[in-house]
Amino acid sequence: MSKRGGFPGGMPGNMNNLMKQAQRMQRQMEENQKELETKEFTAKAGGGAVEATVTGGKELKAIKISPEAVDPDDVEMLQDLIVAAVNEAMGEADKANAEVLGKMTGGLGGFGGLGF
């Protein structure tokens, strides 16, 4: 049988190296993702009146509200500040996730520029 076109006996050296490299990259991405999920991101709103802390895994860990932000006559303002702080913290977590993914893919996009 001709060696052209077929791969008798397994993958050629270059293809085998590519597979190993892809597996190594996948392991590194999984490790980075696990690390990022435990990292915490904090953001403030209303000049620090409300502070929200989330994890990279998008879990809300803490909300801190200064006593000055609590006005029984303006509950909507406090609600808006909480939403703003949580959204800002989530945005920071998203940004960190994108940076990790960008480093792993070499800035070529989700699948190394393969168009998936």
Side-chain angles (χ1 to χ4, degrees), residues 60-75:
L60 180 62
K61 295 296 278 187
I63 293 279
K64 293 181 183 176
I65 301 171
S66 71
E68 300 83 40
V70 182
D71 180 357
D73 296 326
D74 195 3
V75 174

Side-chain angles (χ1 to χ4, degrees), residues 2 5 10 29 41 54 62 66 72 74 79 89 92 99-100 103 112 115:
S2 170
M29 286 180 70
F41 302 88
V54 300
S66 71
D74 195 3
Q79 292 168 342
E92 292 296 320
E99 287 176 11
V100 167
K103 287 178 186 175

Side-chain angles (χ1 to χ4, degrees), residues 13-112:
N14 286 343
M15 187 63 134
N16 196 21
N17 286 340
L18 284 173
M19 290 298 292
K20 286 181 181 180
Q21 187 176 12
Q23 290 170 344
R24 185 171 40 250
M25 186 176 180
Q26 182 178 5
R27 278 193 307 273
Q28 288 174 338
M29 286 180 70
E30 288 170 0
E31 290 170 7
N32 287 339
Q33 189 65 36
K34 285 179 186 176
E35 181 181 322
L36 191 58
E37 285 178 5
T38 62
K39 190 173 180 182
E40 293 186 354
F41 302 88
T42 300
K44 297 178 182 181
V50 174
E51 182 178 288
T53 301
V54 300
T55 67
K58 306 282 183 83
E59 180 183 351
L60 180 62
K61 295 296 278 187
I63 293 279
K64 293 181 183 176
I65 301 171
S66 71
E68 300 83 40
V70 182
D71 180 357
D73 296 326
D74 195 3
V75 174
E76 288 180 10
M77 170 78 122
L78 178 56
Q79 292 168 342
D80 290 344
L81 291 174
I82 292 169
V83 169
V86 171
N87 284 337
E88 179 69 24
M90 291 287 190
E92 292 296 320
D94 284 342
K95 194 164 102 176
N97 274 312
E99 287 176 11
V100 167
L101 184 59
K103 287 178 186 175
M104 293 304 299
T105 60
L108 296 174
F111 288 94

